[in-house]
Amino acid sequence: MRVAATMFAQRAYHEVRLDEIAAATRLGKGTIYVYFASKDDLYTTLIAEGIDQLIVELGEVGRDTGPAWPAIERAVAALCAFAGRFPHLYTLMRSGLPPQEGRLAHKRTELASAIARILRKGVKAGELDDPHPELTAEFVLSFVRVALLFPPKGLGERAIAKHILRVLGRGVLTGKRQKR
């Protein structure tokens, strides 16, 4: 799976052949077909398993009984750290989901829902003022995706996570402008 993720992340999907994956893993092509029905199935499974890992991590964060903001900090840090730990897999995940792939769309919805649950918990506790936690959850995923896709030179994943949280928590207006 790691070899396939690397190949798909480094080249366009249509350029990667199962023969190459089999050769690189020293498996027969038939062995790959025992586990995956097709190249599409392998590709989709790679992305689905990556999203599943993130859902588990964010679910653990969401079960925390403490204040909401530290949980949001941990969620953003987990998203950024995941990209650092699994760069090839993250490249596949952020490349977009094929519209015909319902399984991946469902997984993506689960991922956003894990973040929205944290936000809703903060709203319920009176810690956060967010009339649309589901939309904010999508913003968080988008912030991470774009920031890691086009990172400013010299900013690592921790600095990016810190900045995302700053913008999410305080916005970009000064205190004087916020009062208007």
Side-chain angles (χ1 to χ4, degrees):
M1 299 269 297
R2 191 175 330 119
V3 169
T6 301
M7 288 181 164
F8 284 124
Q10 291 175 341
R11 300 190 339 239
Y13 172 83
H14 69 277
E15 294 175 358
V16 178
R17 295 184 358 254
L18 279 180
D19 295 2
E20 294 172 304
I21 295 170
T25 58
R26 297 183 189 153
L27 295 171
K29 189 174 173 183
T31 303
I32 293 175
Y33 280 116
V34 168
Y35 297 99
F36 305 101
S38 64
K39 182 172 85 167
D40 287 347
D41 185 37
L42 172 58
Y43 184 81
T44 301
T45 300
L46 285 168
I47 296 171
E49 287 188 4
I51 294 172
D52 281 340
Q53 287 178 25
L54 279 170
I55 290 168
V56 167
E57 287 183 46
L58 294 178
E60 290 170 8
V61 170
R63 283 188 287 281
D64 188 353
T65 58
W69 188 252
I72 293 167
E73 290 174 329
R74 287 192 303 282
V76 170
L79 290 167
C80 290
F82 181 88
R85 284 192 325 268
F86 305 105
H88 296 301
L89 181 56
Y90 189 75
T91 297
L92 293 180
M93 290 169 58
R94 74 178 185 210
S95 65
L97 308 175
Q100 72 279 10
E101 182 46 60
R103 176 173 61 153
L104 291 181
H106 177 72
K107 297 273 183 207
R108 174 68 173 65
T109 299
E110 282 184 64
L111 183 59
S113 294
I115 297 168
R117 276 191 292 281
I118 297 168
L119 295 165
R120 281 193 303 274
K121 187 169 81 173
V123 169
K124 185 176 180 181
E127 300 170 52
L128 302 175
D129 178 18
D130 186 350
H132 304 287
E134 290 75 18
L135 182 57
T136 303
E138 294 293 343
F139 289 165
V140 169
L141 291 172
S142 296
F143 284 172
V144 171
R145 180 177 182 262
V146 171
L148 294 173
L149 186 58
F150 304 106
K153 192 171 185 166
L155 282 186
E157 69 187 47
R158 287 186 184 165
I160 289 171
K162 185 177 177 180
H163 188 71
I164 289 169
L165 289 163
R166 180 191 176 281
V167 170
L168 186 62
R170 294 191 324 218
V172 294
L173 290 176
T174 63
K176 183 169 49 171
R177 294 282 298 166
Q178 287 179 345
K179 292 178 184 176
R180 290 185 179 186

